């Protein structure tokens, strides 16, 4: 087969649909002047990503910092997939009503004893797909 | 089942074995003052990660920059997995003998027309595993 996969940009809407289909992503930030990354499970809540972390870890220091959040899905067999990146200023969730909703057990952290909620609003959303030229989002998302 | 997964640190050796088992990872860097991340396919070559990228993209500007490189494997069903992060100063590969070896078709980029090789030496290697307390690396790596 001579056809090669092509890398193309996704629309914001396509990107958010794909992001919402994922359960695990990665927070990207700067930690003591070094690039840092932490895989986390997450939920999309309104126009933001919400993660649940511990009070002591490096993610809990991000309140007010601009971070990136990435999720992807890669198929090794076909060498195809997508990646979506959100940039936004991470903020600790302090609103009681929001916390009650977010504390839904279905949205629980995969690691026990994590009660610090961090919200990353969709300030910038970008996405890319690597696929055969004729493949659309609907067919593989 | 009351047993919870636990997050534990991996040794450098465990981390490198797991990293070598992966085909896709993510370069983490700073791009115009924003945290940035790019999924890429890669190979472990000696004590470094090598990726193949285009001459025009943001990754080709990283020559000399300290970056992070992350690979992970997450099992959604068991909510377990591992993540390994390498930090190192990214360097363009210019040595002719190295380039000939790296240009092996088996190590080709998933995206066509990429002939810029970037090496990230293992200056710092960290890894974490989320698993049931009794699970060892050998059982799930």
């Amino acid at each position: 087969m001579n056809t090669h996969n092509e890398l193309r940009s996704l629309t914001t809407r396509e990107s958010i649909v794909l992001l919402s289909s994922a359960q695990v992503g990665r927070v990207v930030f700067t930690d003591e002047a070094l690039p840092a990354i932490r895989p986390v499970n997450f939920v999309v809540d309104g126009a933001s990503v919400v993660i649940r972390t511990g009070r002591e870890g490096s993610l809990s220091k991000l309140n007010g910092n601009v971070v990136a959040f990435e999720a992807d899905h890669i198929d090794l067999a076909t060498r195809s997939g997508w990646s979506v990146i959100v940039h936004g200023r991470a903020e600790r969730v302090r609103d009681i009503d929001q916390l009650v909703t977010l504390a839904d057990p279905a949205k629980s952290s995969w690691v026990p004893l994590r009660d610090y909620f961090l919200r990353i609003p969709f300030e910038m959303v970008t996405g890319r797909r690597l696929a055969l030229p004729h493949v659309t989002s609907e067919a593989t998302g």
Side-chain angles (χ1 to χ4, degrees), chain A:
Chain A
M1 193 170 71
N2 288 320
T3 311
H4 278 105
N5 284 339
E6 286 181 359
L7 198 58
R8 75 170 179 87
S9 295
L10 298 171
T11 65
T12 300
R13 185 185 169 82
E14 287 173 323
S15 297
I16 292 173
V17 168
L18 289 169
L19 183 67
S20 304
S21 75
Q23 293 181 55
V24 172
R26 297 153 199 94
V27 184
V28 178
F29 55 103
T30 303
D31 188 22
E32 296 179 3
L34 284 177
I37 176 169
R38 291 283 178 282
V40 291
N41 63 308
F42 74 102
V43 292
V44 170
D45 179 63
S48 61
V49 161
V50 176
I51 63 172
R52 189 170 178 167
T53 186
R55 285 170 191 265
E56 306 300 328
S58 50
L59 295 182
S60 68
K61 299 177 196 157
L62 295 178
N63 193 23
N65 291 63
V66 173
V67 303
F69 184 84
E70 191 259 3
D72 57 45
H73 179 75
I74 313 286
D75 186 298
L76 296 177
T78 60
R79 296 186 163 194
S80 62
W82 56 264
S83 168
V84 170
I85 302 171
V86 170
H87 282 89
R89 195 172 293 276
E91 286 170 5
R92 181 177 183 182
V93 179
R94 295 179 182 277
D95 179 272
I96 299 293
D97 291 339
Q98 286 185 33
L99 287 171
V100 169
T101 306
L102 292 167
D104 176 347
K107 298 175 181 174
S108 66
S109 170
W110 290 8
V111 182
L113 304 174
R114 302 209 145 180
D115 57 357
Y116 187 104
F117 291 86
L118 200 66
R119 182 183 295 280
I120 304 167
F122 294 168
E123 292 171 24
M124 186 166 76
V125 178
T126 55
R128 303 200 297 177
R129 179 186 289 284
L130 180 64
L132 292 176
H134 64 277
V135 174
T136 66
S137 289
E138 287 65 42
T140 60

